[in-house]
Amino acid sequence: MKRSAFLSFAGGALIAAPAAAASLTGRIGSIARAMPGVLGVYARTLAHGPPLVAYNASERFPTASVIKVLVMTTAYALDETKPGVLDEKIVFHTGDLIGGSDFMANARDGQRFIVRELIVPMITLSDNTAANLLIGHFGVAAINEIGARAGMTRTHLARRFLDYTAIAHHNDNLSTPADLGRLLFLIEHGAREGVATIVSSQHCVAMLDIMLRQTDRDAIPAALPPHIAVANKTGEIEGTRNDIAVVAPFGDSPFILAVMTKDAFDYGASYAAIHAVTRAVYASVSRSA
């Protein structure tokens, strides 16, 4: 199937609703009402039909670092239109270094990195400086264009990470659980079915492999049995705790889960809600498998 045809098809192709969909939605609603702040959830399998649950799924939330998955996707997408992008060099200067950069903290002034070297710590360690170097290299417009191509109609990258001037002017990076779930669906479907979606199947596999090496496992992965592989990306800023994941990406019953919060300053309660949502969705998928 051609990529353009698949993307058009995938827009209306959500998962088959199980008989317990109403009870799952009710359970997610109860979790949301018990959590101080706003909770958004989107979950689906790879089957066609409606999602397992879509609770505040089209509402915009601050992305924090989960939008780094779109930055990664942009790198692979641009490499397919202009081979060699993944090996282009980016020069680091000490003035580029910002907080939340465990990998880049040891970089030397003037040190050169290739794009693919920066993608890995941006995802696995959520390195903010690596992300900013990539955003600067590709440009905000190019990244938003890839998001639009993926059908992420309510997603907008407005600024680099820790850009306090932009933050003061309320220029926030925003997305929805449904948009981020859609991006993960395209990646998982491409990897699993061997078809081109937003990028080639080989690049979809590469992105999942990187996400499987995520070091922050405190949200969605923490609520799942330890033998379940999870390709996830977390994100946190003040009032927000997010996690998006492909659960069991190479297993028999993979599913997509995106959980976002905002105006949620009791972080223990936020994590408890994410864990409760994860357990409820996993139980629903397991019963239907």
Side-chain angles (χ1 to χ4, degrees):
M1 183 182 293
K2 292 183 178 179
R3 180 177 305 175
S4 60
F6 173 79
L7 290 175
S8 174
F9 166 78
L14 302 178
I15 68 160
S23 62
L24 177 60
T25 299
R27 172 63 181 142
I28 300 305
S30 296
I31 294 167
R33 288 188 292 273
M35 187 198 83
V38 182
L39 178 72
V41 178
Y42 179 88
R44 64 163 298 169
T45 66
L46 296 188
H48 306 318
L52 287 167
V53 64
Y55 186 92
N56 288 334
S58 295
E59 183 163 342
R60 280 178 156 173
F61 290 77
T63 63
S65 288
V66 295
I67 204 166
K68 291 172 182 174
V69 177
L70 178 57
V71 178
M72 173 175 65
T73 304
T74 298
Y76 284 100
L78 294 179
D79 188 73
E80 294 181 3
T81 59
K82 181 187 173 185
V85 164
L86 289 171
D87 294 309
E88 289 179 349
K89 292 180 174 61
I90 302 175
V91 180
F92 165 79
H93 298 289
T94 53
D96 298 324
L97 187 65
I98 59 173
S101 302
D102 290 348
F103 175 79
M104 294 300 297
N106 297 316
R108 303 181 308 276
D109 185 55
Q111 186 170 350
R112 293 175 179 269
F113 295 88
I114 61 173
V115 167
R116 70 173 75 243
E117 286 181 301
L118 295 174
I119 292 172
V120 175
M122 176 183 69
I123 298 298
T124 62
L125 300 174
S126 204
D127 192 289
N128 287 327
T129 300
N132 279 358
L133 290 173
L134 291 170
I135 292 170
H137 188 67
F138 300 134
V140 167
I143 296 167
N144 284 324
E145 168 58 28
I146 297 302
R149 191 186 305 176
M152 301 172 72
T153 59
R154 291 183 56 76
T155 296
H156 183 65
L157 177 70
R159 58 172 175 81
R160 300 186 190 192
F161 289 90
L162 300 189
D163 181 341
Y164 292 110
T165 300
I167 293 170
H169 288 86
H170 304 290
N171 292 328
D172 294 322
N173 299 328
L174 300 171
S175 189
T176 70
D179 272 8
L180 291 163
R182 175 173 173 75
L183 179 60
L184 293 187
F185 169 78
L186 293 173
I187 294 170
E188 168 66 4
H189 184 88
R192 192 174 186 86
E193 301 300 326
V195 297
T197 56
I198 188 61
V199 294
S200 67
S201 177
Q202 293 87 345
H203 281 162
C204 287
V205 171
M207 289 193 287
L208 285 175
D209 284 342
I210 293 170
M211 293 178 69
L212 283 166
R213 293 152 60 187
Q214 169 64 239
T215 57
D216 186 347
R217 317 297 278 182
D218 291 336
I220 291 172
L224 292 166
H227 68 278
I228 301 294
V230 184
N232 73 303
K233 181 70 197 81
T234 55
E236 59 181 62
I237 56 174
E238 186 177 5
T240 288
R241 294 295 182 269
N242 299 330
D243 199 5
I244 63 173
V246 182
V247 177
F250 302 115
D252 293 332
S253 302
F255 65 91
I256 310 300
L257 178 59
V259 187
M260 306 184 77
T261 70
K262 63 181 177 181
D263 303 325
F265 300 96
D266 182 339
Y267 300 129
S270 295
Y271 279 112
I274 294 171
H275 294 162
V277 167
T278 301
R279 287 190 291 268
V281 173
Y282 178 70
S284 178
V285 172
S286 298
R287 285 193 298 268
S288 301

